[in-house]
Amino acid sequence: MSDMTSNTALPKKRSRKMTHNNTHPIVPWLYLLPHAIFFLGFIVFPVFYGLYISMHRWDPLLESQPFVGLEFYANLFKAGTPQSEFFWKTFVNTTLFTVISVPLLVGTSIGLAVLLFKPIFGRAFFRSIFFMPGILSVSVMGILWKWLFENQSGLVNIILTEYLKLPPIPFLTSEGWAWVPIVVGTVWWTIGFNMTLYLAAMNNIPKAIYEAAELDGATNWQQFRFITWPNLSATTLFVVVTTVLGSFQLFGQPQLITGGGPTRSTQSVIMYITEEAFSNNQFSSAAAMSFVFGVLMLVFTAFQFWLQTRDLRKGKK
């Protein structure tokens, strides 16, 4: 009986092997070709072309593009040049926004996830309410929060003056205050996505652990501290990295709410690179800024990965 089984299985193996061997070696490469074309055309070529532009005095209206080497890169580190002054000023602005917004986005989203994970009345409704702002475009979000914080006719200042009898605050024209509508609007706009990620991760935590903890008399805080938080480490790593990268790419919110003002106090580095390229027509300088900014983000992301994976490794030990 066993001989009959082996005899019937042998032709199948041979047939499968022959089919595999008969496949032309170029077939797998044909499957990869569409992706390779788009990758080379939209990723690799722009990177090398941008590098070429950053090392030449590039002007699309001229026939010759003289080679200048690293001149535009050096301008970013030479004191007294406008490129150095404004690039690093806007980089500090962007870093400030990231430092303020990321803890709010991560902390508030995990807090909402913990609250809405419990079987409370209207849980699905509240989940939808917090997620819905994320489907709006940045244009709608920017116009909405600019209207809310208008210096004279904004809803926030109407509440301050009419109901709380306080003087109006010129949110859109005061340094410092101008960050309030940008940060609050960004948190309102993007918090639902992070909350959804945390809710999905919390569904994977076995309920038996919580039941055992309740039998041992663990409080809600102790359950969160020793069960929920450690099991969300991998999700937190993803949320923090993507939120930091998204915050460093700040553009639409300050562009629509404050226009980068007052006196460039809310202008992000992406806004300044865009201004340098398309308002000042300094394409080479803008390309050099883009590469320096990209390298800074890569270094920061690598450090962030190393820092948080170190905590994960310690947790496993």
Side-chain angles (χ1 to χ4, degrees):
M1 186 68 178
S2 60
D3 292 340
M4 290 178 64
T5 306
S6 60
N7 290 335
T8 54
L10 186 59
K12 290 182 180 177
K13 289 182 179 177
R14 284 178 180 171
S15 174
R16 197 177 297 126
K17 189 175 181 181
M18 286 178 63
T19 304
H20 176 73
N21 290 336
N22 288 337
T23 302
H24 197 282
I26 200 172
V27 170
W29 296 102
L30 290 177
Y31 284 110
L32 295 174
L33 186 61
H35 173 75
I37 291 173
F38 283 102
F39 181 76
L40 292 173
F42 292 100
I43 302 293
V44 177
F45 174 73
V47 168
F48 283 99
Y49 193 51
L51 196 62
Y52 169 83
I53 291 174
S54 69
M55 293 185 176
H56 293 75
R57 197 173 298 281
W58 195 79
D59 188 333
L61 300 178
L62 299 179
E63 292 184 358
S64 63
Q65 317 292 341
F67 178 75
V68 295
L70 300 177
E71 178 184 330
F72 292 108
Y73 292 91
N75 286 340
L76 298 179
F77 300 94
K78 190 185 297 180
T81 61
Q83 289 83 5
S84 171
E85 178 185 355
F86 296 137
F87 177 78
W88 293 111
K89 177 180 174 61
T90 54
F91 181 76
V92 170
N93 291 341
T94 311
T95 305
L96 174 67
F97 170 79
T98 303
V99 169
I100 295 173
S101 65
V102 170
L104 287 174
L105 283 168
V106 176
T108 312
S109 60
I110 195 171
L112 284 175
V114 170
L115 289 175
L116 296 178
F117 187 72
K118 297 178 179 177
I120 60 174
F121 175 75
R123 181 174 64 172
F125 171 76
F126 287 111
R127 286 181 179 181
S128 303
I129 289 294
F130 285 110
F131 184 78
M132 282 177 65
I135 65 176
L136 299 176
S137 68
V138 67
S139 304
V140 176
M141 171 266 172
I143 293 171
L144 176 64
W145 285 88
K146 182 177 182 179
W147 173 77
L148 285 173
F149 283 90
E150 274 285 350
N151 291 343
Q152 299 298 328
S153 59
L155 180 63
V156 175
N157 271 323
I158 290 175
I159 294 173
L160 287 176
T161 54
E162 298 293 330
Y163 297 100
L164 302 179
K165 306 303 179 185
L166 294 173
I169 299 175
F171 286 103
L172 303 183
T173 54
S174 299
E175 291 190 21
W177 285 112
W179 280 111
V180 173
I182 297 173
V183 172
V184 175
T186 302
V187 172
W188 172 82
W189 185 39
T190 58
I191 196 173
F193 180 71
N194 290 346
M195 180 196 71
T196 305
L197 291 175
Y198 277 121
L199 283 171
M202 290 170 71
N203 277 321
N204 294 326
I205 303 175
K207 293 181 180 178
I209 302 177
Y210 290 104
E211 293 170 356
E214 286 180 5
L215 290 175
D216 290 338
T219 62
N220 289 334
W221 167 248
Q222 288 172 329
Q223 290 181 30
F224 173 79
R225 171 68 181 83
F226 297 106
I227 299 175
T228 306
W229 179 249
N231 281 284
L232 296 179
S233 298
T235 305
T236 302
L237 171 64
F238 176 78
V239 167
V240 170
V241 170
T242 54
T243 306
V244 167
L245 291 176
S247 299
F248 269 116
Q249 296 171 21
L250 176 71
F251 180 82
Q253 302 95 306
Q255 178 74 23
L256 291 162
I257 296 174
T258 63
T263 60
R264 295 182 187 268
S265 62
T266 59
Q267 188 179 38
S268 68
V269 68
I270 298 291
M271 288 176 67
Y272 178 60
I273 291 173
T274 306
E275 176 189 324
E276 182 76 350
F278 300 105
S279 297
N280 303 334
N281 294 324
Q282 298 294 325
F283 297 101
S284 302
S285 176
M289 291 177 191
S290 302
F291 278 102
V292 172
F293 183 56
V295 170
L296 289 172
M297 289 186 68
L298 281 176
V299 171
F300 188 81
T301 305
F303 174 73
Q304 199 174 12
F305 261 107
W306 173 82
L307 192 66
Q308 293 201 291
T309 52
R310 186 193 63 173
D311 294 339
L312 287 174
R313 288 193 296 271
K314 283 184 178 179
K316 289 181 179 178
K317 291 179 182 177

